[in-house]
Amino acid sequence: MTSRSQSANDSAPPRSAKTGRAKKTAAPVRDAHAPAASGDDAFASRLLAWFDISGRHDLPWQHPRSPYRVWLSEIMLQQTQVKTAAPYFERFVAALPDVPALAAASLDTVLGLWSGLGYYARARNLHAAAKFCVEHHGGDLPRDLDALTALPGIGRSTAAAIASQAWGDRHAILDGNVKRVLSRYHGIDGYPGLPAVERQLWTLAESHLPHARMTDYTQAQMDLGATLCTRADPSCILCPLQHDCVARIEGRVAELPVPKPGKVPPQRYAQVLWLLDRDGRVLLQRRPPAGIWASLWTLPQSDDEAQAARWFGAHVRAEFADGAALAPVAHAFSHYKLELQPRRWREVALRDAVGDNDDLRWFARDELASLGIPAPIRKLIES
């Protein structure tokens, strides 16, 4: 789990992690691959030179850049690529432009704006964190790193990314892109998710920090991993770090970072009941506040057909056997696979004792766009 070029116990700094300050000028250099000037950290100076020429400078959260916009973008970019997150970001800030607006919005509104991005715990944590900021930080994000990390949904790397990009504070980040870059550059053996390996990567990330241009440097690290040092088919020939990269020199780029030990995700099944009334409205049920798809609106769901039939009999004035079985819908979560078996009934009504309530309601088709609905369910009912 140590670099081939250096033992983890060596007191000398990692190779290509020379001491000294980075240049304070933001001016581009002509050759991003040229060796660093004396006194510079080669990693940081080459990366910044490359960023000036080839980095991403026109992302929507960069113009204007504010702590709120940086925070929102960092949460959206967890588990989501830039090209997917960008339109969601613009729609979100148009509706909820600052922390107080987010805190004052209903959870349904927040989940509706998030609908389709997946990993909905991110949206629930955003909402909870905004409320906390209004109550304890005067409606602003706290600048202190520990206070940021204490907010729901913000870990050490996310807090550092916010602080460095919003205020230019000198903190190291270690997201998936940075782990990949550092693992290859230093030839780190071992899966980066293991605590011992992650601690080593944090030490290396901190060793490369420049003393200026932290906003650009943070973005440059993420850009390099997203555009050149990619998981598959990395563009080593264009990389500003290629001359010192242990993985490239030793022909181990495809091996590093070491992948997570393989594990076959379990397969689960569920029945979903697609009910339409005489007006073509669809019956949706709010999920519990914890667990998968927490607090989202979805079709009534049961673990098996027998349970689905019992729920149907207790709630609906119709015959369960009249439902049309549709093609199964497959959906993959991070830790298991789910196959949904939908059944559809038309022109049905709820029993008088049930009726509309806070967790079970009929919705017209034009109301669906504003609701937080899981992606596979939305795709099904809008097909």
Side-chain angles (χ1 to χ4, degrees):
M1 296 192 299
T2 60
S3 168
R4 288 194 172 190
S5 60
Q6 178 184 351
S7 166
N9 297 321
D10 287 347
S11 59
R15 77 187 228 154
S16 73
K18 302 182 179 70
T19 58
R21 296 177 178 268
K23 290 183 177 180
K24 294 186 178 181
T25 176
V29 297
R30 291 185 178 180
D31 184 2
H33 301 289
S38 176
D40 286 348
D41 178 282
F43 183 97
S45 61
R46 290 176 184 169
L47 192 55
L48 283 167
W50 170 83
F51 176 75
D52 288 333
I53 299 168
S54 304
R56 296 180 291 191
H57 301 273
D58 295 312
L59 298 174
W61 39 87
Q62 295 173 332
H63 310 286
R65 192 191 303 270
S66 71
Y68 173 73
R69 292 168 67 89
V70 169
W71 170 44
L72 177 59
S73 71
E74 286 300 317
I75 301 302
M76 284 190 169
L77 291 173
Q78 294 171 353
Q79 310 292 338
T80 305
Q81 294 183 346
V82 166
K83 64 181 180 181
T84 301
Y88 282 91
F89 174 87
E90 293 177 326
R91 186 177 68 159
F92 200 101
V93 294
L96 305 174
D98 51 33
V99 174
L102 173 56
S106 68
L107 181 57
D108 272 345
T109 296
V110 175
L111 293 174
L113 291 167
W114 200 271
S115 185
L117 267 181
Y119 298 94
Y120 290 90
R122 297 180 294 174
R124 293 190 294 272
N125 285 333
L126 265 175
H127 194 228
K131 288 179 174 293
F132 189 90
C133 287
V134 167
E135 295 172 5
H136 300 281
H137 298 296
D140 294 319
L141 277 178
R143 184 168 178 173
D144 178 74
L145 200 66
D146 290 336
L148 277 173
T149 308
L151 295 175
I154 298 182
R156 177 180 175 182
S157 183
T158 300
I162 294 169
S164 61
Q165 292 181 95
W167 298 294
D169 293 344
R170 192 170 182 263
H171 299 295
I173 66 168
L174 195 66
D175 66 359
N177 284 321
V178 178
K179 285 181 178 180
R180 184 166 59 256
V181 170
L182 291 177
S183 293
R184 287 173 174 166
Y185 184 75
H186 289 282
I188 303 299
D189 290 310
Y191 170 55
L194 294 175
V197 180
E198 189 170 60
R199 285 195 296 271
Q200 186 178 8
L201 292 173
W202 271 115
T203 299
L204 292 170
E206 290 169 345
S207 75
H208 290 305
L209 286 177
H211 289 268
R213 297 189 64 191
M214 277 305 306
T215 296
D216 289 344
Y217 179 71
T218 299
Q219 186 65 52
Q221 294 175 89
M222 296 185 286
D223 285 1
L224 186 74
T227 63
L228 295 186
C229 194
T230 51
R231 183 178 290 106
D233 299 322
S235 302
C236 296
I237 194 172
L238 300 176
C239 180
L241 307 176
Q242 60 174 288
H243 299 299
D244 295 318
C245 177
V246 173
R248 189 199 65 81
I249 294 169
E250 298 182 355
R252 304 178 62 214
V253 174
E255 300 173 18
L256 299 175
V258 174
K260 184 177 182 179
K263 182 179 179 181
V264 179
Q267 178 72 59
R268 299 181 186 178
Y269 301 89
Q271 298 274 325
V272 288
L273 311 183
W274 185 1
L275 303 166
L276 300 165
D277 69 2
R278 293 181 181 276
D279 297 321
R281 298 182 302 173
V282 62
L283 185 70
L284 296 181
Q285 186 174 44
R286 190 194 297 274
R287 296 282 295 177
I292 296 299
W293 294 335
S295 299
L296 298 183
W297 288 97
T298 185
L299 297 175
Q301 181 176 317
S302 301
D303 291 337
D304 53 44
E305 186 172 344
Q307 188 184 77
R310 288 194 296 272
W311 185 94
F312 187 93
H315 291 80
V316 185
R317 293 205 306 260
E319 293 295 326
F320 182 78
D322 292 339
L326 306 177
V329 176
H331 186 69
F333 293 98
S334 59
H335 53 294
Y336 71 89
K337 295 180 179 179
L338 178 64
E339 181 175 287
L340 301 172
Q341 174 58 64
R343 291 177 179 271
R344 183 172 59 196
W345 292 260
R346 298 182 185 276
E347 298 187 7
V348 299
L350 294 178
R351 294 189 181 279
D352 294 338
V354 180
D356 277 4
N357 56 67
D358 289 341
D359 296 319
L360 187 69
R361 289 180 51 196
W362 294 104
F363 288 95
R365 182 169 292 274
D366 60 4
E367 296 179 283
L368 300 179
S370 63
L371 298 177
I373 300 174
I377 301 300
R378 184 180 295 279
K379 183 177 180 180
L380 175 66
I381 61 181
E382 292 183 351
S383 62

